[in-house]
Coordinates of all heavy atoms in Angstrom, one line a residue:
M3 N 73.0 65.1 144.3 CA 72.1 65.8 145.0 C 72.2 65.4 146.4 O 72.3 64.1 146.8 CB 70.7 65.5 144.5 CG 69.7 66.3 145.3 SD 67.9 66.0 144.6 CE 68.3 66.4 142.8
V4 N 72.2 66.3 147.4 CA 72.4 65.9 148.9 C 71.0 66.1 149.5 O 70.4 67.1 149.3 CB 73.5 66.9 149.4 CG1 73.4 66.7 151.0 CG2 74.8 66.7 148.9
F5 N 70.7 65.3 150.2 CA 69.4 65.2 151.0 C 69.7 65.4 152.6 O 70.8 64.9 153.0 CB 68.6 64.1 150.8 CG 68.0 64.0 149.3 CD1 68.5 63.4 148.3 CD2 66.7 64.8 149.1 CE1 68.0 63.3 147.1 CE2 66.3 64.9 147.8 CZ 66.8 64.1 146.9
S6 N 68.8 65.9 153.2 CA 68.9 65.9 154.7 C 68.8 64.5 155.2 O 68.5 63.6 154.5 CB 67.8 66.8 155.3 OG 66.5 66.2 155.0
A7 N 69.1 64.4 156.5 CA 69.1 63.1 157.2 C 67.8 62.4 157.0 O 67.7 61.2 156.9 CB 69.4 63.2 158.6
T8 N 66.7 63.1 156.8 CA 65.3 62.6 156.7 C 64.9 62.3 155.2 O 63.9 61.6 154.8 CB 64.2 63.5 157.2 OG1 64.3 64.7 156.5 CG2 64.5 63.8 158.7
G9 N 65.9 62.7 154.3 CA 65.6 62.5 152.9 C 64.6 63.6 152.3 O 64.2 63.4 151.2
I10 N 64.3 64.6 153.2 CA 63.3 65.6 152.6 C 63.9 67.0 152.5 O 64.8 67.3 153.3 CB 62.3 65.7 153.6 CG1 61.4 64.3 153.8 CG2 61.2 66.8 153.2 CD1 60.4 64.3 154.9
A11 N 63.7 67.7 151.5 CA 64.4 68.9 151.3 C 63.8 69.9 152.3 O 62.7 69.7 152.8 CB 64.1 69.5 149.9
G12 N 64.7 70.9 152.6 CA 64.3 71.9 153.7 C 63.4 73.0 153.0 O 62.9 72.8 151.8
S13 N 63.3 74.1 153.7 CA 62.6 75.3 153.2 C 63.3 75.9 151.9 O 64.5 75.9 151.9 CB 62.3 76.3 154.2 OG 61.6 75.7 155.4
A14 N 62.5 76.5 151.1 CA 63.2 77.2 149.9 C 64.0 78.4 150.4 O 63.5 79.1 151.2 CB 62.1 77.6 148.9
T15 N 65.2 78.5 149.9 CA 66.1 79.6 150.2 C 66.6 80.3 149.0 O 67.1 81.4 149.2 CB 67.3 79.2 151.1 OG1 68.2 78.3 150.3 CG2 66.8 78.6 152.4
K16 N 66.5 79.7 147.9 CA 67.1 80.2 146.6 C 66.5 79.7 145.4 O 65.7 78.7 145.5 CB 68.6 79.9 146.6 CG 68.8 78.4 146.5 CD 70.4 78.2 146.5 CE 70.8 76.7 146.4 NZ 72.2 76.3 146.3
L17 N 66.8 80.4 144.3 CA 66.4 79.9 143.0 C 67.5 79.5 142.2 O 68.6 80.0 142.4 CB 65.8 81.1 142.2 CG 64.5 81.8 143.0 CD1 64.0 83.0 142.1 CD2 63.3 80.8 143.0
A18 N 67.3 78.6 141.2 CA 68.3 78.1 140.4 C 67.7 77.7 139.0 O 66.5 77.4 139.0 CB 69.0 76.7 141.0
F19 N 68.6 77.8 137.9 CA 68.1 77.4 136.7 C 68.2 75.9 136.4 O 69.0 75.4 136.8 CB 68.9 78.1 135.5 CG 68.9 79.5 135.3 CD1 69.9 80.4 135.6 CD2 67.6 80.1 135.0 CE1 69.8 81.8 135.5 CE2 67.5 81.6 134.9 CZ 68.6 82.3 135.2
T20 N 67.0 75.4 135.9 CA 67.1 74.1 135.6 C 67.3 74.2 133.9 O 67.9 73.3 133.3 CB 65.9 73.2 135.7 OG1 64.7 73.8 135.3 CG2 65.8 73.0 137.2
T21 N 66.8 75.3 133.3 CA 67.1 75.7 131.9 C 67.4 77.1 131.9 O 66.5 77.9 132.3 CB 65.9 75.3 131.1 OG1 65.5 74.0 131.1 CG2 66.2 75.7 129.6
A22 N 68.6 77.4 131.6 CA 69.0 78.8 131.5 C 68.4 79.5 130.3 O 68.3 78.8 129.3 CB 70.6 79.0 131.5
P23 N 68.2 80.8 130.3 CA 67.7 81.5 129.2 C 68.7 81.6 128.0 O 69.9 81.4 128.4 CB 67.3 82.8 129.6 CG 68.2 83.1 130.8 CD 68.3 81.7 131.4
S24 N 68.2 81.9 126.9 CA 69.1 82.1 125.8 C 70.2 83.2 126.1 O 69.8 84.2 126.9 CB 68.4 82.8 124.5 OG 67.4 81.8 124.1
A25 N 71.4 83.0 125.7 CA 72.4 84.0 126.0 C 72.4 85.1 124.9 O 73.0 86.2 125.2 CB 73.8 83.4 125.9
T26 N 71.8 84.9 123.8 CA 71.7 86.0 122.7 C 70.2 86.0 122.4 O 69.4 85.0 122.4 CB 72.5 85.7 121.5 OG1 72.1 84.4 120.9 CG2 74.0 85.7 121.9
A27 N 69.7 87.2 121.9 CA 68.3 87.4 121.4 C 68.2 88.5 120.6 O 69.1 89.4 120.6 CB 67.4 87.6 122.8
Q28 N 67.1 88.5 119.8 CA 66.8 89.8 119.0 C 65.8 90.5 119.7 O 64.9 90.1 120.4 CB 66.2 89.3 117.6 CG 67.1 88.7 116.7 CD 66.3 88.4 115.3 OE1 65.3 87.8 115.3 NE2 67.0 88.7 114.3
S29 N 65.9 91.8 119.7 CA 65.0 92.7 120.3 C 63.6 92.6 119.8 O 63.4 92.5 118.6 CB 65.5 94.2 120.0 OG 64.6 95.1 120.5
G30 N 62.7 92.4 120.8 CA 61.3 92.2 120.4 C 60.9 90.9 120.1 O 59.8 90.6 119.7
V31 N 61.8 89.8 120.2 CA 61.5 88.3 119.8 C 61.7 87.6 121.0 O 62.7 87.8 121.7 CB 62.4 87.9 118.6 CG1 62.2 86.5 118.4 CG2 62.3 88.7 117.5
A32 N 60.7 86.8 121.3 CA 60.8 85.9 122.5 C 62.1 85.1 122.6 O 62.6 84.7 121.4 CB 59.6 84.9 122.4
L33 N 62.7 85.0 123.7 CA 64.0 84.3 123.8 C 63.7 82.8 123.2 O 62.7 82.2 123.5 CB 64.4 84.2 125.3 CG 64.6 85.4 126.1 CD1 64.9 85.1 127.5 CD2 65.7 86.3 125.4
S34 N 64.7 82.3 122.4 CA 64.5 81.0 121.9 C 64.6 79.9 123.0 O 63.9 78.8 122.7 CB 65.6 80.8 120.7 OG 67.0 80.9 121.3
T35 N 65.3 80.2 124.0 CA 65.3 79.2 125.1 C 64.7 79.9 126.3 O 65.3 80.7 126.8 CB 66.7 78.7 125.4 OG1 67.2 78.1 124.3 CG2 66.6 77.6 126.6
Q36 N 63.4 79.5 126.5 CA 62.8 80.1 127.8 C 63.4 79.6 129.0 O 63.6 78.4 129.2 CB 61.3 79.9 127.6 CG 60.5 80.6 126.5 CD 60.5 82.0 126.6 OE1 60.0 82.5 127.7 NE2 61.1 82.8 125.7
P37 N 63.6 80.4 130.1 CA 64.1 79.9 131.3 C 63.1 79.1 132.2 O 61.9 79.3 132.1 CB 64.5 81.2 132.1 CG 63.7 82.3 131.4 CD 63.4 81.8 130.1
V38 N 63.7 78.2 132.7 CA 63.0 77.4 133.7 C 63.8 77.6 135.1 O 64.9 77.2 135.1 CB 62.8 75.8 133.4 CG1 62.1 75.1 134.5 CG2 62.2 75.7 132.0
V39 N 63.1 77.8 136.1 CA 63.6 78.2 137.5 C 63.0 77.3 138.4 O 61.8 76.9 138.6 CB 63.3 79.6 137.9 CG1 63.9 80.1 139.2 CG2 63.9 80.7 136.7
Q40 N 63.9 76.8 139.4 CA 63.5 75.8 140.4 C 63.8 76.4 141.8 O 64.7 77.0 142.1 CB 64.3 74.5 140.2 CG 64.2 73.6 141.4 CD 62.8 72.8 141.4 OE1 62.5 72.2 140.3 NE2 62.1 72.9 142.4
L41 N 62.9 76.3 142.6 CA 63.1 76.5 144.1 C 64.0 75.5 144.7 O 63.8 74.3 144.4 CB 61.7 76.6 144.9 CG 60.6 77.5 144.4 CD1 59.3 77.2 145.2 CD2 61.0 78.9 144.5
Q42 N 64.9 76.0 145.6 CA 65.9 75.1 146.2 C 66.1 75.4 147.6 O 65.9 76.5 147.9 CB 67.4 75.0 145.4 CG 67.1 74.5 144.0 CD 68.6 74.3 143.3 OE1 69.6 75.0 143.9 NE2 68.6 73.7 142.2
D43 N 66.5 74.4 148.4 CA 66.9 74.7 149.8 C 68.4 75.0 149.8 O 69.0 75.1 148.7 CB 66.5 73.4 150.6 CG 67.4 72.2 150.5 OD1 68.3 72.2 149.6 OD2 67.0 71.2 151.0
A44 N 68.9 75.3 151.0 CA 70.2 75.8 151.1 C 71.3 74.8 150.7 O 72.3 75.2 150.2 CB 70.6 76.0 152.5
S45 N 70.9 73.4 150.6 CA 71.8 72.4 150.1 C 71.6 72.1 148.6 O 72.3 71.3 148.0 CB 71.6 71.1 150.8 OG 71.9 71.3 152.2
G46 N 70.8 72.9 147.9 CA 70.6 72.7 146.5 C 69.6 71.6 146.1 O 69.4 71.2 144.8
N47 N 68.8 71.2 147.1 CA 67.7 70.2 146.8 C 66.4 70.9 146.3 O 66.1 72.1 146.7 CB 67.4 69.5 148.1 CG 68.5 68.7 148.8 OD1 69.2 68.0 148.1 ND2 68.8 69.0 150.0
P48 N 65.8 70.3 145.3 CA 64.6 71.0 144.8 C 63.6 71.0 145.9 O 63.4 70.1 146.7 CB 64.2 70.0 143.7 CG 65.3 69.0 143.6 CD 66.1 69.1 144.7
V49 N 62.8 72.1 145.9 CA 61.7 72.2 146.9 C 60.3 72.4 146.2 O 60.2 73.2 145.3 CB 61.9 73.5 147.8 CG1 60.8 73.7 148.7 CG2 63.2 73.4 148.6
S50 N 59.5 71.5 146.6 CA 58.1 71.4 145.9 C 57.2 72.5 146.7 O 56.7 72.2 147.9 CB 57.5 70.0 146.1 OG 58.3 69.2 145.4
Q51 N 56.9 73.5 146.1 CA 56.1 74.6 146.6 C 55.4 75.3 145.4 O 56.0 76.2 144.8 CB 56.9 75.6 147.5 CG 56.1 76.6 148.1 CD 57.0 77.4 149.0 OE1 58.2 77.2 149.3 NE2 56.3 78.6 149.4
P52 N 54.2 75.0 145.2 CA 53.3 75.6 144.1 C 52.9 77.1 144.5 O 52.8 77.4 145.6 CB 52.2 74.7 143.9 CG 52.0 74.1 145.4 CD 53.4 74.1 146.0
G53 N 52.6 77.8 143.4 CA 51.9 79.1 143.6 C 52.8 80.4 143.8 O 52.3 81.4 144.1
L54 N 54.2 80.2 143.8 CA 55.0 81.3 144.0 C 55.2 81.9 142.6 O 55.5 81.4 141.6 CB 56.4 81.1 144.6 CG 56.3 80.6 146.0 CD1 57.8 80.3 146.4 CD2 55.8 81.7 146.9
T55 N 55.1 83.4 142.6 CA 55.3 84.0 141.3 C 56.9 84.5 141.3 O 57.4 85.1 142.1 CB 54.5 85.3 141.2 OG1 53.1 85.0 141.2 CG2 54.8 86.0 140.0
I56 N 57.5 84.0 140.1 CA 58.9 84.3 139.9 C 58.9 85.5 138.8 O 58.3 85.3 137.8 CB 59.6 83.1 139.3 CG1 59.6 81.9 140.2 CG2 61.2 83.5 139.2 CD1 60.0 82.1 141.6
T57 N 59.5 86.5 139.1 CA 59.6 87.7 138.2 C 60.9 88.0 137.6 O 61.9 88.1 138.4 CB 58.9 88.9 138.9 OG1 57.7 88.6 139.3 CG2 58.9 90.1 137.9
A58 N 61.0 88.1 136.3 CA 62.2 88.5 135.6 C 62.3 90.1 135.6 O 61.4 90.7 135.3 CB 62.3 87.9 134.3
S59 N 63.5 90.5 135.8 CA 63.6 92.0 135.7 C 65.0 92.2 135.1 O 65.9 91.4 135.2 CB 63.6 92.7 137.0 OG 64.6 92.3 137.9
I60 N 65.2 93.4 134.6 CA 66.5 93.9 134.0 C 67.2 94.5 135.2 O 66.9 95.5 135.6 CB 66.3 94.9 132.8 CG1 65.4 94.2 131.7 CG2 67.5 95.3 132.2 CD1 65.0 95.1 130.6
T61 N 68.4 94.0 135.4 CA 69.2 94.5 136.5 C 70.5 95.2 136.0 O 71.2 95.9 136.7 CB 69.7 93.5 137.5 OG1 70.3 92.4 136.9 CG2 68.4 93.0 138.3
A62 N 70.8 95.1 134.8 CA 72.0 95.7 134.1 C 71.6 95.8 132.6 O 71.1 94.8 132.1 CB 73.2 95.0 134.3
G63 N 71.9 97.0 131.9 CA 71.5 97.2 130.6 C 70.7 98.3 130.6 O 69.7 98.4 131.3
A64 N 70.9 99.4 129.6 CA 70.2 100.5 129.6 C 69.0 100.5 128.6 O 69.2 100.0 127.5 CB 71.1 101.7 129.3
G65 N 67.9 101.0 129.1 CA 66.7 101.2 128.2 C 66.0 100.0 127.7 O 65.2 100.1 126.7
G66 N 66.1 99.0 128.3 CA 65.4 97.7 127.9 C 64.0 97.5 128.6 O 63.8 98.2 129.7
S67 N 63.1 96.7 128.1 CA 61.9 96.3 128.7 C 61.7 94.9 128.4 O 62.2 94.3 127.5 CB 60.7 97.1 128.2 OG 60.6 96.9 126.8
L68 N 61.0 94.2 129.4 CA 60.5 92.8 129.3 C 59.0 92.7 129.1 O 58.2 93.4 129.6 CB 60.9 92.1 130.6 CG 62.5 92.0 130.8 CD1 62.7 91.4 132.2 CD2 63.1 91.2 129.8
T69 N 58.6 91.6 128.4 CA 57.2 91.2 128.4 C 57.1 89.8 128.7 O 58.1 89.1 128.6 CB 56.5 91.5 126.9 OG1 57.3 90.8 125.9 CG2 56.5 92.9 126.6
S70 N 55.9 89.4 129.2 CA 55.8 88.1 129.8 C 56.8 87.7 130.8 O 57.5 86.6 130.6 CB 55.7 86.9 128.7 OG 54.6 87.3 127.7
A71 N 57.1 88.5 131.7 CA 58.2 88.4 132.7 C 57.9 87.8 134.0 O 58.7 87.9 134.9 CB 58.7 89.8 132.9
S72 N 56.7 86.9 134.0 CA 56.6 86.2 135.2 C 56.1 84.8 135.0 O 55.5 84.6 133.8 CB 55.5 87.1 136.1 OG 54.4 87.1 135.5
A73 N 56.3 83.9 136.0 CA 55.9 82.6 135.8 C 55.6 82.1 137.2 O 56.2 82.6 138.3 CB 56.9 81.7 135.2
I74 N 54.7 81.1 137.3 CA 54.3 80.7 138.7 C 54.8 79.3 138.9 O 54.6 78.4 138.0 CB 52.8 80.7 138.8 CG1 52.3 82.2 138.7 CG2 52.2 80.2 140.0 CD1 50.7 82.5 138.7
T75 N 55.3 79.0 140.0 CA 55.8 77.6 140.3 C 54.6 76.6 140.4 O 53.5 76.8 140.8 CB 56.5 77.6 141.7 OG1 55.7 77.9 142.7 CG2 57.8 78.4 141.6
N76 N 55.0 75.4 139.9 CA 53.9 74.3 139.7 C 54.1 73.5 141.1 O 54.9 73.8 141.9 CB 54.1 73.6 138.5 CG 55.4 72.9 138.4 OD1 56.2 72.7 139.3 ND2 55.8 72.5 137.2
G77 N 53.5 72.3 141.0 CA 53.6 71.5 142.4 C 55.0 71.0 142.7 O 55.2 70.7 143.8
S78 N 55.9 71.0 141.6 CA 57.3 70.5 142.0 C 58.2 71.6 142.3 O 59.4 71.5 142.4 CB 57.8 69.7 140.8 OG 57.9 70.5 139.6
G79 N 57.7 73.0 142.4 CA 58.5 74.1 142.6 C 59.2 74.7 141.4 O 60.1 75.5 141.7
T80 N 58.8 74.4 140.3 CA 59.4 74.8 139.0 C 58.4 75.8 138.3 O 57.3 75.7 138.2 CB 59.6 73.5 138.1 OG1 60.5 72.6 138.6 CG2 60.3 74.0 136.8
A81 N 59.1 76.9 137.9 CA 58.4 77.9 137.2 C 59.0 78.0 135.6 O 60.2 78.2 135.6 CB 58.6 79.3 137.8
T82 N 58.1 77.8 134.8 CA 58.6 77.8 133.3 C 58.0 79.0 132.7 O 56.8 79.3 132.6 CB 58.1 76.5 132.6 OG1 58.5 75.3 133.2 CG2 58.5 76.5 131.1
F83 N 59.0 79.9 132.2 CA 58.5 81.0 131.5 C 58.1 80.7 130.1 O 58.6 79.7 129.5 CB 59.7 82.1 131.4 CG 59.9 82.6 132.8 CD1 60.7 82.1 133.8 CD2 59.4 83.9 133.0 CE1 60.7 82.6 135.1 CE2 59.7 84.6 134.2 CZ 60.4 83.9 135.3
S84 N 57.2 81.5 129.6 CA 56.6 81.3 128.2 C 56.5 82.6 127.5 O 55.8 83.5 128.1 CB 55.3 80.7 128.3 OG 54.7 80.5 127.1
G85 N 57.2 82.9 126.4 CA 57.1 84.1 125.7 C 57.9 85.3 126.3 O 57.6 86.4 125.9
L86 N 58.8 85.0 127.1 CA 59.7 86.1 127.8 C 60.5 86.8 126.7 O 61.0 86.1 125.8 CB 60.6 85.5 128.8 CG 61.7 86.5 129.4 CD1 60.7 87.5 130.2 CD2 62.6 85.8 130.4
T87 N 60.2 88.1 126.5 CA 60.8 88.8 125.4 C 61.6 89.9 126.0 O 61.0 90.7 126.7 CB 59.7 89.3 124.4 OG1 58.9 88.2 124.0 CG2 60.2 90.1 123.3
L88 N 62.7 90.3 125.4 CA 63.5 91.5 125.9 C 63.4 92.4 124.7 O 63.9 92.0 123.6 CB 65.0 91.0 126.2 CG 66.0 92.2 126.4 CD1 65.6 93.1 127.7 CD2 67.4 91.5 126.8
S89 N 63.2 93.7 124.9 CA 63.2 94.7 123.9 C 64.1 95.8 124.3 O 64.1 96.2 125.4 CB 61.8 95.2 123.6 OG 61.0 94.2 123.1
G90 N 64.9 96.4 123.4 CA 65.8 97.5 123.7 C 66.8 97.6 122.7 O 66.9 97.0 121.7
P91 N 67.9 98.4 123.0 CA 68.9 98.8 122.2 C 70.0 97.6 122.2 O 70.0 96.7 123.0 CB 69.6 100.0 122.8 CG 69.3 99.9 124.2 CD 67.8 99.2 124.3
V92 N 70.7 97.6 121.1 CA 71.8 96.5 121.0 C 72.7 96.6 122.2 O 73.1 97.7 122.6 CB 72.5 96.7 119.6 CG1 73.8 95.8 119.7 CG2 71.6 96.4 118.5
G93 N 73.0 95.5 122.9 CA 74.0 95.4 123.9 C 73.7 94.4 124.9 O 72.9 93.5 124.6
A94 N 74.5 94.4 125.9 CA 74.4 93.4 127.0 C 73.4 93.8 128.0 O 73.5 94.9 128.5 CB 75.9 93.1 127.5
F95 N 72.7 92.7 128.5 CA 71.7 93.0 129.6 C 71.8 91.8 130.6 O 72.3 90.7 130.2 CB 70.3 92.9 129.1 CG 70.0 94.0 128.1 CD1 70.2 94.0 126.9 CD2 69.3 95.2 128.7 CE1 70.0 95.1 126.1 CE2 68.9 96.3 127.9 CZ 69.3 96.3 126.6
T96 N 71.6 92.1 131.8 CA 71.5 91.0 132.9 C 70.1 91.0 133.4 O 69.5 91.9 133.8 CB 72.4 91.3 134.1 OG1 73.8 91.5 133.6 CG2 72.4 90.3 135.1
L97 N 69.5 89.8 133.2 CA 68.2 89.5 133.7 C 68.2 88.8 135.1 O 69.0 87.8 135.1 CB 67.4 88.7 132.7 CG 67.3 89.3 131.2 CD1 66.4 88.4 130.4 CD2 66.8 90.8 131.3
T98 N 67.5 89.2 136.0 CA 67.5 88.5 137.2 C 66.0 88.0 137.7 O 65.0 88.7 137.2 CB 67.9 89.6 138.4 OG1 69.2 90.1 138.2 CG2 67.8 89.0 139.8
Y99 N 66.0 86.7 138.0 CA 64.8 86.1 138.3 C 64.6 86.1 139.8 O 65.6 85.5 140.6 CB 64.8 84.7 137.8 CG 65.1 84.8 136.2 CD1 66.3 85.0 135.7 CD2 64.1 84.7 135.3 CE1 66.6 85.2 134.3 CE2 64.2 85.1 134.0 CZ 65.4 85.1 133.5 OH 65.7 85.2 132.2
A100 N 63.5 86.5 140.5 CA 63.5 86.7 141.9 C 62.0 86.4 142.3 O 61.0 86.5 141.6 CB 63.9 87.9 142.3
T101 N 61.9 86.1 143.6 CA 60.6 86.0 144.3 C 61.0 86.5 145.8 O 62.2 86.2 146.3 CB 59.8 84.7 144.2 OG1 58.5 84.8 144.8 CG2 60.6 83.6 145.1
G102 N 60.0 87.0 146.4 CA 60.3 87.5 147.8 C 61.0 86.7 148.7 O 60.7 85.6 149.1
G103 N 62.1 87.3 149.2 CA 62.9 86.6 150.3 C 63.8 85.5 149.9 O 64.7 85.1 150.7
L104 N 63.8 85.1 148.6 CA 64.8 84.1 148.3 C 65.8 84.6 147.4 O 65.9 85.7 146.9 CB 64.1 83.0 147.4 CG 62.8 82.3 147.9 CD1 62.2 81.3 147.0 CD2 63.2 81.6 149.4
T105 N 67.1 83.8 147.6 CA 68.2 84.4 146.8 C 67.9 84.2 145.2 O 67.5 83.2 144.8 CB 69.4 83.5 147.1 OG1 69.7 83.7 148.6 CG2 70.6 83.9 146.4
A106 N 68.1 85.3 144.5 CA 67.7 85.4 143.1 C 68.9 84.7 142.3 O 69.9 84.4 142.8 CB 67.5 86.8 142.6
V107 N 68.5 84.5 140.9 CA 69.5 83.9 140.0 C 69.4 84.9 138.9 O 68.5 85.5 138.6 CB 69.2 82.4 139.6 CG1 67.8 82.4 139.0 CG2 70.2 81.8 138.8
S108 N 70.6 85.1 138.2 CA 70.8 86.0 137.2 C 71.4 85.3 135.9 O 72.1 84.3 136.0 CB 71.5 87.2 137.5 OG 70.9 88.0 138.6
A109 N 71.2 85.9 134.7 CA 71.8 85.4 133.4 C 71.9 86.6 132.6 O 71.2 87.4 132.5 CB 71.0 84.3 132.8
G110 N 73.0 86.5 131.7 CA 73.4 87.5 130.8 C 72.6 87.3 129.5 O 72.6 86.1 129.0
V111 N 72.1 88.3 128.9 CA 71.6 88.3 127.4 C 72.1 89.3 126.7 O 72.1 90.4 127.0 CB 70.0 88.3 127.5 CG1 69.5 88.3 126.0 CG2 69.4 87.2 128.4
T112 N 72.6 89.0 125.5 CA 73.2 90.0 124.5 C 72.2 90.2 123.5 O 71.7 89.2 122.8 CB 74.6 89.6 123.8 OG1 75.5 89.4 124.9 CG2 75.1 90.5 122.9
L113 N 71.7 91.4 123.3 CA 70.6 91.8 122.5 C 71.1 92.3 121.1 O 72.0 93.1 121.1 CB 69.7 92.8 123.1 CG 68.3 92.9 122.6 CD1 67.5 91.7 122.7 CD2 67.6 94.0 123.5
S114 N 70.6 91.7 120.1 CA 70.8 92.3 118.7 C 69.5 93.0 118.2 O 68.6 93.0 118.9 CB 71.3 91.2 117.8 OG 70.1 90.3 117.6
T115 N 69.6 93.5 117.0 CA 68.4 94.3 116.5 C 67.3 93.3 116.2 O 67.5 92.0 116.1 CB 68.7 94.9 115.2 OG1 69.3 94.0 114.3 CG2 69.8 96.0 115.3
G116 N 66.1 93.8 116.1 CA 65.0 93.0 115.9 C 64.9 92.5 114.4 O 65.7 92.9 113.6
P117 N 63.9 91.8 114.1 CA 63.6 91.3 112.7 C 63.3 92.5 111.9 O 62.8 93.5 112.3 CB 62.5 90.4 112.8 CG 61.6 90.8 114.1 CD 62.7 91.3 115.0
A118 N 63.6 92.3 110.6 CA 63.4 93.4 109.7 C 62.0 93.7 109.4 O 61.1 92.8 109.4 CB 64.2 93.2 108.3

């Protein structure tokens, strides 16, 4: 980790995963590994900024929908998703996690059929 000359992180400019979401999922079932997203400065240092809403959206993949698609950053600038669920047809989807003005982060999820 690189710190500025003062040892303090700069302003948040981007998002990064501290825990990436599951790469595979069943339609209509919460992702087995829920994503955790961290605010970071331009050098990749964590930024402590509570109260920002991080929203997941589908940026590639046809006909899908998300539930429980937002999380709020805590005092350390980390947003932990809970119950994020992708529903839709079998296939590959790209989920993007974003908040106003910061560089977003994305991850692919391959969706299979839901439970019988």
